[in-house]
Amino acid sequence: MDWTDSEQQADFRAQVREFLSGKLPELYRRQAEERRPRGLEGDWQENLVHGTAEEQQAAKAWASALNERGWVAPHWPKEYGGAGMSPMEQFILRQEMAESEAPVVGGGGLSLLGPTVLVHGNDEQKARLLPPTLSGEYLWAQGFSEPGAGSDLASLQTRAVRDGDEYVINGQKLWTSTAHKSNWLFGMFRTDPDAPKHRGISFLVMDMKTPGIQVRPIISMGWEHATNETFYEDVRVPASNLIGEQNRGWYVGVTLLDFERSNIAGAVAIRKSLDQLIENTKTPAAQTQLAGGGLKRQRLNIAEHYVESEVMMNFSFRIISMQARGVIPNYEASTSKMFNSELVQRVSRTGIKTYGLYSNIWDPDEALAPQKSTFTQSNVHSVVGTIAGGSSEIQRNIIATRGLGLPRG
Ligand SMILES: Cc1cc2nc3c(=O)[nH]c(=O)nc-3n(C[C@H](O)[C@H](O)[C@H](O)COP(=O)(O)OP(=O)(O)OC[C@H]3O[C@@H](n4cnc5c(N)ncnc54)[C@H](O)[C@@H]3O)c2cc1C
């Protein structure tokens, strides 16, 4: 298999590198050099909404540099402010951004809501919702999961009842990530409790300032506020905020979206963290921490993870080569999601074992913190990776049934 760039791809890669070297704000460049753990909250939206003056400035400058080229939403058509990029170009852009550790701008609004509105929204909704999403004026949270509906999402119970020109919403959502730093929400709500469960759901968007919405923080085991519970009490949403048809929301919410799904950024991040671990073990400064650890015992694990990271790269290449041929990845995307999230956890564990008891230091600024506590922190933060976005068990079910053709249940 030859993964080298074609001439055209190499040209595009050079353009992206030149752009990154000229336009990536100094703050992000410095953070990448310092190799500080960014954690769950260390994203562009956090910088924009809750950041220091320097972080807010960097977040704005970075979004506007990308926006000038349509690269905030490389997967959207040009007429809506995207770049209309082919999956392969998106892949190269994501790969180069991950290599530079450049933050991804926009979150769920750009990756999920925008493409959903493009496919199912009417012209008025496209004109009203897409431009402010692209500019960062509308920051979106995703309200799908509920206390009794995660893996079995179609069991969701939060009710939306039509009343004249409005829907009235009552109920609770769980794990509404970024709701505390978003001003709009998209979600699925039950509009027909008597219909079969997939057929009584509608897809609605709403302004988070609408009276009756309450956001309560969930603090993670790494002391971060990344996600929330959200409560809805007589929340009145204009009927013009229904995307697609009433009771067809399940099919709107699970639209197979045509954007790059290789998770190349995840593959690059794992490779970089292994490279940094290996490089650090060779520095004189690390010898104190290594003396307390178990590099000898972890050597084989590090080698094994390196091989696994190569496998992960190849999963990414396989998916992008399918998309480049116009084939929609199915169980292949599940394989990549499951393998990537589990590998991050394995690498984090090996990283902390390498430095032994020094890995108990949480604070990256402590002088003896190995590699700025990066593995200590990622060991905690990566726990959610095998749950959020579809748990590993659900991914294995998909691989078993759709991939291997094994019978269900
Ligand atoms: C940090 C974090 C952020 C999240 N962000 C969002 C968000 O922004 N918006 C949103 O809508 N949701 C979000 N989620 C929700 C996420 O998608 C769900 O947590 C996930 O789908 C699992 O659902 P659940 O938590 O209800 O667990 P359950 O579905 O109750 O599962 C519990 C356990 O049972 C296993 N299990 C369930 N069904 C099966 C089965 N059929 N076969 C085998 N095993 C099974 C699961 O794998 C899991 O181990 C987030 C979750 C987390 C942890």
Side-chain angles (χ1 to χ4, degrees):
M1 198 79 56
D2 179 11
W3 296 124
T4 43
D5 287 341
S6 66
E7 205 175 308
Q8 203 185 5
Q9 288 160 0
D11 276 355
F12 181 64
R13 192 181 295 283
Q15 270 181 47
V16 175
R17 283 186 184 162
E18 195 189 325
F19 170 80
L20 282 162
S21 91
K23 299 284 183 179
L24 185 65
E26 180 51 33
L27 173 79
Y28 295 132
R29 209 179 294 284
R30 207 168 64 227
Q31 283 177 347
E33 270 163 25
E34 285 175 0
R35 297 178 182 169
R36 297 177 71 80
R38 285 196 184 159
L40 287 177
E41 282 193 87
D43 63 3
W44 172 82
Q45 195 162 326
E46 177 68 18
N47 286 170
L48 186 71
V49 180
H50 295 146
T52 60
E54 188 192 13
E55 285 166 346
Q56 291 192 0
Q57 170 66 24
K60 279 185 200 152
W62 181 226
S64 108
L66 286 167
N67 214 353
E68 267 175 34
R69 296 187 169 221
W71 288 3
V72 166
H75 50 303
W76 293 15
K78 284 187 178 156
E79 59 181 303
Y80 294 108
M85 275 187 198
S86 68
M88 187 53 89
E89 287 170 329
Q90 293 172 47
F91 177 87
I92 292 170
L93 179 65
R94 292 271 176 252
Q95 190 178 23
E96 292 301 324
M97 280 179 59
E99 289 289 354
S100 304
E101 298 181 35
V104 174
V105 165
L110 290 160
S111 56
L112 296 169
L113 186 271
T116 303
V117 170
L118 282 166
V119 175
H120 297 280
N122 58 35
D123 288 345
E124 182 276 325
Q125 290 167 334
K126 287 178 191 165
R128 177 160 58 95
L129 300 172
L130 297 180
T133 300
L134 204 56
S135 68
E137 187 191 333
Y138 284 12
L139 297 166
W140 293 86
Q142 176 190 352
F144 284 3
S145 305
E146 296 182 6
S151 304
D152 181 17
L153 188 57
S155 291
L156 60 91
Q157 295 299 329
T158 297
R159 288 280 276 126
V161 177
R162 181 81 187 236
D163 179 22
D165 286 344
E166 294 175 323
Y167 285 93
V168 183
I169 298 181
N170 280 284
Q172 181 195 345
K173 297 278 173 190
L174 189 57
W175 309 119
T176 324
S177 299
T178 72
H180 58 300
K181 48 190 172 188
S182 298
N183 44 21
W184 277 76
L185 175 130
F186 61 94
M188 291 201 247
F189 301 88
R190 186 150 304 279
T191 32
D192 185 352
D194 301 321
K197 64 181 182 180
H198 292 89
R199 299 206 195 129
I201 293 171
S202 298
F203 192 104
L204 287 159
V205 299
M206 66 196 70
D207 186 331
M208 291 289 285
K209 287 192 298 296
T210 316
I213 302 179
Q214 198 197 349
V215 180
R216 283 194 210 154
I218 298 176
I219 305 300
S220 75
M221 65 200 272
W223 302 288
E224 286 198 301
H225 178 194
T227 193
N228 306 276
E229 296 178 283
T230 46
F231 296 85
Y232 306 78
E233 199 183 333
D234 292 331
V235 177
R236 292 194 159 264
V237 174
S240 56
N241 285 6
L242 173 76
I243 310 292
E245 286 173 47
Q246 178 167 301
N247 294 329
R248 299 286 298 167
W250 177 259
Y251 308 97
V252 174
V254 298
T255 308
L256 275 179
L257 302 167
D258 183 26
F259 59 86
E260 189 273 308
R261 296 178 72 201
S262 70
N263 198 2
I264 184 63
V268 169
I270 290 177
R271 173 59 62 85
K272 280 178 84 93
S273 88
L274 282 167
D275 282 342
Q276 287 163 9
L277 173 64
I278 293 161
E279 187 192 311
N280 197 57
T281 60
K282 297 176 194 164
T283 61
Q287 299 314 308
T288 307
Q289 293 102 325
L290 286 170
L295 178 57
K296 247 189 197 163
R297 279 194 299 280
Q298 296 312 317
R299 210 176 351 221
L300 302 188
N301 283 335
I302 294 171
E304 187 168 320
H305 299 329
Y306 215 84
V307 175
E308 290 171 321
S309 79
E310 194 66 21
V311 173
M312 184 57 221
M313 286 283 180
N314 279 284
F315 279 143
S316 295
F317 288 136
R318 181 180 179 197
I319 290 173
I320 199 58
S321 69
M322 288 174 74
Q323 290 193 282
R325 282 180 282 124
V327 179
I328 295 173
N330 183 317
Y331 68 91
E332 295 87 352
S334 291
T335 312
S336 158
K337 195 269 174 188
M338 182 197 84
F339 193 78
N340 181 280
S341 53
E342 294 183 1
L343 183 53
V344 172
Q345 294 175 350
R346 288 195 290 278
V347 169
S348 304
R349 274 198 299 275
T350 295
I352 58 176
K353 284 184 189 163
T354 302
Y355 297 109
L357 289 175
Y358 286 97
S359 292
N360 285 323
I361 302 173
W362 178 265
D363 183 350
D365 294 323
E366 281 285 339
L368 285 172
Q371 289 191 240
K372 293 203 178 290
S373 305
T374 185
F375 293 111
T376 309
Q377 296 214 7
S378 68
N379 187 48
V380 170
H381 297 318
S382 64
V383 170
V384 298
T386 46
I387 303 169
S391 70
S392 276
E393 288 78 13
I394 296 300
Q395 308 304 336
R396 283 189 168 81
N397 267 332
I398 293 171
I399 297 164
T401 51
R402 293 192 217 155
L404 305 176
L406 293 170
R408 283 176 188 277

